mmCIF file with all atom_site columns, all heavy atoms in Angstrom:
data_model
loop_
_atom_site.group_PDB
_atom_site.id
_atom_site.type_symbol
_atom_site.label_atom_id
_atom_site.label_alt_id
_atom_site.label_comp_id
_atom_site.label_asym_id
_atom_site.label_entity_id
_atom_site.label_seq_id
_atom_site.pdbx_PDB_ins_code
_atom_site.Cartn_x
_atom_site.Cartn_y
_atom_site.Cartn_z
_atom_site.occupancy
_atom_site.B_iso_or_equiv
_atom_site.pdbx_formal_charge
_atom_site.auth_seq_id
_atom_site.auth_comp_id
_atom_site.auth_asym_id
_atom_site.auth_atom_id
_atom_site.pdbx_PDB_model_num
ATOM 1   N N   . ASP E 1 83  ? 15.288 12.717 10.898 1.00 0.00 ? 83  ASP E N   1
ATOM 2   C CA  . ASP E 1 83  ? 15.346 12.428 9.410  1.00 0.00 ? 83  ASP E CA  1
ATOM 3   C C   . ASP E 1 83  ? 14.269 11.342 9.081  1.00 0.00 ? 83  ASP E C   1
ATOM 4   O O   . ASP E 1 83  ? 14.046 10.503 9.890  1.00 0.00 ? 83  ASP E O   1
ATOM 5   C CB  . ASP E 1 83  ? 16.736 11.876 9.110  1.00 0.00 ? 83  ASP E CB  1
ATOM 6   C CG  . ASP E 1 83  ? 17.032 11.616 7.678  1.00 0.00 ? 83  ASP E CG  1
ATOM 7   O OD1 . ASP E 1 83  ? 16.615 10.494 7.205  1.00 0.00 ? 83  ASP E OD1 1
ATOM 8   O OD2 . ASP E 1 83  ? 17.532 12.396 6.870  1.00 0.00 ? 83  ASP E OD2 1
ATOM 9   N N   . PRO E 1 84  ? 13.713 11.443 7.827  1.00 0.00 ? 84  PRO E N   1
ATOM 10  C CA  . PRO E 1 84  ? 12.623 10.461 7.603  1.00 0.00 ? 84  PRO E CA  1
ATOM 11  C C   . PRO E 1 84  ? 13.081 8.954  7.619  1.00 0.00 ? 84  PRO E C   1
ATOM 12  O O   . PRO E 1 84  ? 12.331 8.063  7.991  1.00 0.00 ? 84  PRO E O   1
ATOM 13  C CB  . PRO E 1 84  ? 12.241 10.797 6.097  1.00 0.00 ? 84  PRO E CB  1
ATOM 14  C CG  . PRO E 1 84  ? 13.287 11.682 5.665  1.00 0.00 ? 84  PRO E CG  1
ATOM 15  C CD  . PRO E 1 84  ? 13.836 12.467 6.836  1.00 0.00 ? 84  PRO E CD  1
ATOM 16  N N   . LYS E 1 85  ? 14.399 8.698  7.437  1.00 0.00 ? 85  LYS E N   1
ATOM 17  C CA  . LYS E 1 85  ? 14.892 7.369  7.488  1.00 0.00 ? 85  LYS E CA  1
ATOM 18  C C   . LYS E 1 85  ? 15.033 6.914  8.983  1.00 0.00 ? 85  LYS E C   1
ATOM 19  O O   . LYS E 1 85  ? 15.277 5.702  9.180  1.00 0.00 ? 85  LYS E O   1
ATOM 20  C CB  . LYS E 1 85  ? 16.299 7.277  6.763  1.00 0.00 ? 85  LYS E CB  1
ATOM 21  C CG  . LYS E 1 85  ? 16.188 7.424  5.334  1.00 0.00 ? 85  LYS E CG  1
ATOM 22  C CD  . LYS E 1 85  ? 17.584 7.115  4.678  1.00 0.00 ? 85  LYS E CD  1
ATOM 23  C CE  . LYS E 1 85  ? 17.482 7.139  3.203  1.00 0.00 ? 85  LYS E CE  1
ATOM 24  N NZ  . LYS E 1 85  ? 18.798 6.839  2.502  1.00 0.00 ? 85  LYS E NZ  1
ATOM 25  N N   . GLU E 1 86  ? 14.975 7.859  9.872  1.00 0.00 ? 86  GLU E N   1
ATOM 26  C CA  . GLU E 1 86  ? 15.151 7.492  11.276 1.00 0.00 ? 86  GLU E CA  1
ATOM 27  C C   . GLU E 1 86  ? 13.938 7.695  12.203 1.00 0.00 ? 86  GLU E C   1
ATOM 28  O O   . GLU E 1 86  ? 14.037 7.567  13.355 1.00 0.00 ? 86  GLU E O   1
ATOM 29  C CB  . GLU E 1 86  ? 16.360 8.333  11.839 1.00 0.00 ? 86  GLU E CB  1
ATOM 30  C CG  . GLU E 1 86  ? 17.685 8.076  11.170 1.00 0.00 ? 86  GLU E CG  1
ATOM 31  C CD  . GLU E 1 86  ? 18.755 9.053  11.521 1.00 0.00 ? 86  GLU E CD  1
ATOM 32  O OE1 . GLU E 1 86  ? 18.532 9.942  12.348 1.00 0.00 ? 86  GLU E OE1 1
ATOM 33  O OE2 . GLU E 1 86  ? 19.924 8.841  11.040 1.00 0.00 ? 86  GLU E OE2 1
ATOM 34  N N   . ASN E 1 87  ? 12.817 7.849  11.637 1.00 0.00 ? 87  ASN E N   1
ATOM 35  C CA  . ASN E 1 87  ? 11.615 8.059  12.328 1.00 0.00 ? 87  ASN E CA  1
ATOM 36  C C   . ASN E 1 87  ? 11.224 6.908  13.193 1.00 0.00 ? 87  ASN E C   1
ATOM 37  O O   . ASN E 1 87  ? 10.810 6.944  14.364 1.00 0.00 ? 87  ASN E O   1
ATOM 38  C CB  . ASN E 1 87  ? 10.350 8.382  11.413 1.00 0.00 ? 87  ASN E CB  1
ATOM 39  C CG  . ASN E 1 87  ? 10.206 9.980  11.368 1.00 0.00 ? 87  ASN E CG  1
ATOM 40  O OD1 . ASN E 1 87  ? 10.822 10.736 11.976 1.00 0.00 ? 87  ASN E OD1 1
ATOM 41  N ND2 . ASN E 1 87  ? 9.345  10.355 10.374 1.00 0.00 ? 87  ASN E ND2 1
ATOM 42  N N   . ILE E 1 88  ? 11.503 5.657  12.674 1.00 0.00 ? 88  ILE E N   1
ATOM 43  C CA  . ILE E 1 88  ? 11.186 4.424  13.348 1.00 0.00 ? 88  ILE E CA  1
ATOM 44  C C   . ILE E 1 88  ? 12.083 4.345  14.551 1.00 0.00 ? 88  ILE E C   1
ATOM 45  O O   . ILE E 1 88  ? 11.722 3.813  15.638 1.00 0.00 ? 88  ILE E O   1
ATOM 46  C CB  . ILE E 1 88  ? 11.227 3.247  12.490 1.00 0.00 ? 88  ILE E CB  1
ATOM 47  C CG1 . ILE E 1 88  ? 10.565 1.970  13.197 1.00 0.00 ? 88  ILE E CG1 1
ATOM 48  C CG2 . ILE E 1 88  ? 12.732 2.899  12.097 1.00 0.00 ? 88  ILE E CG2 1
ATOM 49  C CD1 . ILE E 1 88  ? 10.247 0.924  12.239 1.00 0.00 ? 88  ILE E CD1 1
ATOM 50  N N   . ASP E 1 89  ? 13.376 4.766  14.417 1.00 0.00 ? 89  ASP E N   1
ATOM 51  C CA  . ASP E 1 89  ? 14.275 4.758  15.679 1.00 0.00 ? 89  ASP E CA  1
ATOM 52  C C   . ASP E 1 89  ? 13.807 5.683  16.696 1.00 0.00 ? 89  ASP E C   1
ATOM 53  O O   . ASP E 1 89  ? 13.848 5.394  17.893 1.00 0.00 ? 89  ASP E O   1
ATOM 54  C CB  . ASP E 1 89  ? 15.705 5.136  15.097 1.00 0.00 ? 89  ASP E CB  1
ATOM 55  C CG  . ASP E 1 89  ? 16.150 4.225  14.061 1.00 0.00 ? 89  ASP E CG  1
ATOM 56  O OD1 . ASP E 1 89  ? 15.900 4.574  12.877 1.00 0.00 ? 89  ASP E OD1 1
ATOM 57  O OD2 . ASP E 1 89  ? 16.838 3.171  14.391 1.00 0.00 ? 89  ASP E OD2 1
ATOM 58  N N   . GLY E 1 90  ? 13.329 6.890  16.314 1.00 0.00 ? 90  GLY E N   1
ATOM 59  C CA  . GLY E 1 90  ? 12.758 7.857  17.158 1.00 0.00 ? 90  GLY E CA  1
ATOM 60  C C   . GLY E 1 90  ? 11.559 7.350  17.957 1.00 0.00 ? 90  GLY E C   1
ATOM 61  O O   . GLY E 1 90  ? 11.454 7.537  19.195 1.00 0.00 ? 90  GLY E O   1
ATOM 62  N N   . LEU E 1 91  ? 10.755 6.588  17.267 1.00 0.00 ? 91  LEU E N   1
ATOM 63  C CA  . LEU E 1 91  ? 9.626  5.972  17.991 1.00 0.00 ? 91  LEU E CA  1
ATOM 64  C C   . LEU E 1 91  ? 10.074 4.981  18.975 1.00 0.00 ? 91  LEU E C   1
ATOM 65  O O   . LEU E 1 91  ? 9.577  4.911  20.146 1.00 0.00 ? 91  LEU E O   1
ATOM 66  C CB  . LEU E 1 91  ? 8.653  5.235  17.008 1.00 0.00 ? 91  LEU E CB  1
ATOM 67  C CG  . LEU E 1 91  ? 7.848  6.224  16.111 1.00 0.00 ? 91  LEU E CG  1
ATOM 68  C CD1 . LEU E 1 91  ? 6.983  5.347  15.125 1.00 0.00 ? 91  LEU E CD1 1
ATOM 69  C CD2 . LEU E 1 91  ? 6.815  7.038  16.944 1.00 0.00 ? 91  LEU E CD2 1
ATOM 70  N N   . GLN E 1 92  ? 11.081 4.130  18.618 1.00 0.00 ? 92  GLN E N   1
ATOM 71  C CA  . GLN E 1 92  ? 11.561 3.157  19.513 1.00 0.00 ? 92  GLN E CA  1
ATOM 72  C C   . GLN E 1 92  ? 12.145 3.778  20.800 1.00 0.00 ? 92  GLN E C   1
ATOM 73  O O   . GLN E 1 92  ? 11.911 3.308  21.895 1.00 0.00 ? 92  GLN E O   1
ATOM 74  C CB  . GLN E 1 92  ? 12.649 2.374  18.841 1.00 0.00 ? 92  GLN E CB  1
ATOM 75  C CG  . GLN E 1 92  ? 13.249 1.217  19.721 1.00 0.00 ? 92  GLN E CG  1
ATOM 76  C CD  . GLN E 1 92  ? 14.303 0.418  18.948 1.00 0.00 ? 92  GLN E CD  1
ATOM 77  O OE1 . GLN E 1 92  ? 15.165 1.042  18.408 1.00 0.00 ? 92  GLN E OE1 1
ATOM 78  N NE2 . GLN E 1 92  ? 14.351 -0.843 19.127 1.00 0.00 ? 92  GLN E NE2 1
ATOM 79  N N   . LEU E 1 93  ? 12.866 4.940  20.671 1.00 0.00 ? 93  LEU E N   1
ATOM 80  C CA  . LEU E 1 93  ? 13.463 5.608  21.765 1.00 0.00 ? 93  LEU E CA  1
ATOM 81  C C   . LEU E 1 93  ? 12.439 6.473  22.523 1.00 0.00 ? 93  LEU E C   1
ATOM 82  O O   . LEU E 1 93  ? 12.798 6.938  23.703 1.00 0.00 ? 93  LEU E O   1
ATOM 83  C CB  . LEU E 1 93  ? 14.591 6.452  21.242 1.00 0.00 ? 93  LEU E CB  1
ATOM 84  C CG  . LEU E 1 93  ? 15.699 5.744  20.655 1.00 0.00 ? 93  LEU E CG  1
ATOM 85  C CD1 . LEU E 1 93  ? 16.783 6.673  20.031 1.00 0.00 ? 93  LEU E CD1 1
ATOM 86  C CD2 . LEU E 1 93  ? 16.494 4.831  21.600 1.00 0.00 ? 93  LEU E CD2 1
ATOM 87  N N   . GLY E 1 94  ? 11.255 6.733  21.992 1.00 0.00 ? 94  GLY E N   1
ATOM 88  C CA  . GLY E 1 94  ? 10.356 7.581  22.619 1.00 0.00 ? 94  GLY E CA  1
ATOM 89  C C   . GLY E 1 94  ? 10.705 9.065  22.525 1.00 0.00 ? 94  GLY E C   1
ATOM 90  O O   . GLY E 1 94  ? 10.323 9.942  23.271 1.00 0.00 ? 94  GLY E O   1
ATOM 91  N N   . ALA E 1 95  ? 11.420 9.422  21.410 1.00 0.00 ? 95  ALA E N   1
ATOM 92  C CA  . ALA E 1 95  ? 11.854 10.768 21.230 1.00 0.00 ? 95  ALA E CA  1
ATOM 93  C C   . ALA E 1 95  ? 10.687 11.699 20.765 1.00 0.00 ? 95  ALA E C   1
ATOM 94  O O   . ALA E 1 95  ? 10.692 12.879 20.961 1.00 0.00 ? 95  ALA E O   1
ATOM 95  C CB  . ALA E 1 95  ? 12.903 10.834 20.031 1.00 0.00 ? 95  ALA E CB  1
ATOM 96  N N   . PHE E 1 96  ? 9.605  11.023 20.289 1.00 0.00 ? 96  PHE E N   1
ATOM 97  C CA  . PHE E 1 96  ? 8.296  11.651 19.894 1.00 0.00 ? 96  PHE E CA  1
ATOM 98  C C   . PHE E 1 96  ? 7.270  10.535 20.050 1.00 0.00 ? 96  PHE E C   1
ATOM 99  O O   . PHE E 1 96  ? 7.541  9.346  20.068 1.00 0.00 ? 96  PHE E O   1
ATOM 100 C CB  . PHE E 1 96  ? 8.369  12.341 18.549 1.00 0.00 ? 96  PHE E CB  1
ATOM 101 C CG  . PHE E 1 96  ? 9.228  11.630 17.566 1.00 0.00 ? 96  PHE E CG  1
ATOM 102 C CD1 . PHE E 1 96  ? 8.742  10.514 16.857 1.00 0.00 ? 96  PHE E CD1 1
ATOM 103 C CD2 . PHE E 1 96  ? 10.548 12.070 17.328 1.00 0.00 ? 96  PHE E CD2 1
ATOM 104 C CE1 . PHE E 1 96  ? 9.591  9.900  15.962 1.00 0.00 ? 96  PHE E CE1 1
ATOM 105 C CE2 . PHE E 1 96  ? 11.315 11.474 16.376 1.00 0.00 ? 96  PHE E CE2 1
ATOM 106 C CZ  . PHE E 1 96  ? 10.871 10.333 15.654 1.00 0.00 ? 96  PHE E CZ  1
ATOM 107 N N   . GLU E 1 97  ? 6.069  10.982 20.021 1.00 0.00 ? 97  GLU E N   1
ATOM 108 C CA  . GLU E 1 97  ? 4.963  9.982  20.251 1.00 0.00 ? 97  GLU E CA  1
ATOM 109 C C   . GLU E 1 97  ? 4.366  9.448  18.971 1.00 0.00 ? 97  GLU E C   1
ATOM 110 O O   . GLU E 1 97  ? 3.690  8.330  19.004 1.00 0.00 ? 97  GLU E O   1
ATOM 111 C CB  . GLU E 1 97  ? 3.865  10.674 21.071 1.00 0.00 ? 97  GLU E CB  1
ATOM 112 C CG  . GLU E 1 97  ? 4.142  10.887 22.528 1.00 0.00 ? 97  GLU E CG  1
ATOM 113 C CD  . GLU E 1 97  ? 4.993  12.121 22.751 1.00 0.00 ? 97  GLU E CD  1
ATOM 114 O OE1 . GLU E 1 97  ? 5.046  12.995 21.807 1.00 0.00 ? 97  GLU E OE1 1
ATOM 115 O OE2 . GLU E 1 97  ? 5.660  12.281 23.808 1.00 0.00 ? 97  GLU E OE2 1
ATOM 116 N N   . MET E 1 98  ? 4.539  10.080 17.852 1.00 0.00 ? 98  MET E N   1
ATOM 117 C CA  . MET E 1 98  ? 3.926  9.649  16.631 1.00 0.00 ? 98  MET E CA  1
ATOM 118 C C   . MET E 1 98  ? 4.830  10.062 15.473 1.00 0.00 ? 98  MET E C   1
ATOM 119 O O   . MET E 1 98  ? 5.616  11.114 15.522 1.00 0.00 ? 98  MET E O   1
ATOM 120 C CB  . MET E 1 98  ? 2.565  10.241 16.429 1.00 0.00 ? 98  MET E CB  1
ATOM 121 C CG  . MET E 1 98  ? 1.756  9.759  15.191 1.00 0.00 ? 98  MET E CG  1
ATOM 122 S SD  . MET E 1 98  ? 0.111  10.497 14.958 1.00 0.00 ? 98  MET E SD  1
ATOM 123 C CE  . MET E 1 98  ? -0.788 9.589  16.128 1.00 0.00 ? 98  MET E CE  1
ATOM 124 N N   . ALA E 1 99  ? 4.764  9.307  14.392 1.00 0.00 ? 99  ALA E N   1
ATOM 125 C CA  . ALA E 1 99  ? 5.598  9.673  13.163 1.00 0.00 ? 99  ALA E CA  1
ATOM 126 C C   . ALA E 1 99  ? 5.005  8.966  11.981 1.00 0.00 ? 99  ALA E C   1
ATOM 127 O O   . ALA E 1 99  ? 4.328  7.960  12.070 1.00 0.00 ? 99  ALA E O   1
ATOM 128 C CB  . ALA E 1 99  ? 7.060  9.278  13.423 1.00 0.00 ? 99  ALA E CB  1
ATOM 129 N N   . THR E 1 100 ? 5.417  9.440  10.817 1.00 0.00 ? 100 THR E N   1
ATOM 130 C CA  . THR E 1 100 ? 5.157  8.725  9.588  1.00 0.00 ? 100 THR E CA  1
ATOM 131 C C   . THR E 1 100 ? 6.397  7.958  9.306  1.00 0.00 ? 100 THR E C   1
ATOM 132 O O   . THR E 1 100 ? 7.557  8.408  9.322  1.00 0.00 ? 100 THR E O   1
ATOM 133 C CB  . THR E 1 100 ? 4.850  9.713  8.478  1.00 0.00 ? 100 THR E CB  1
ATOM 134 O OG1 . THR E 1 100 ? 3.645  10.470 8.720  1.00 0.00 ? 100 THR E OG1 1
ATOM 135 C CG2 . THR E 1 100 ? 4.646  8.973  7.155  1.00 0.00 ? 100 THR E CG2 1
#
Side-chain angles (χ1 to χ4, degrees):
D83 183 273
K85 290 186 175 182
E86 297 172 357
N87 268 350
I88 196 165
D89 303 90
L91 287 175
Q92 183 183 42
L93 296 172
F96 34 80
E97 289 80 18
M98 182 182 285
T100 299

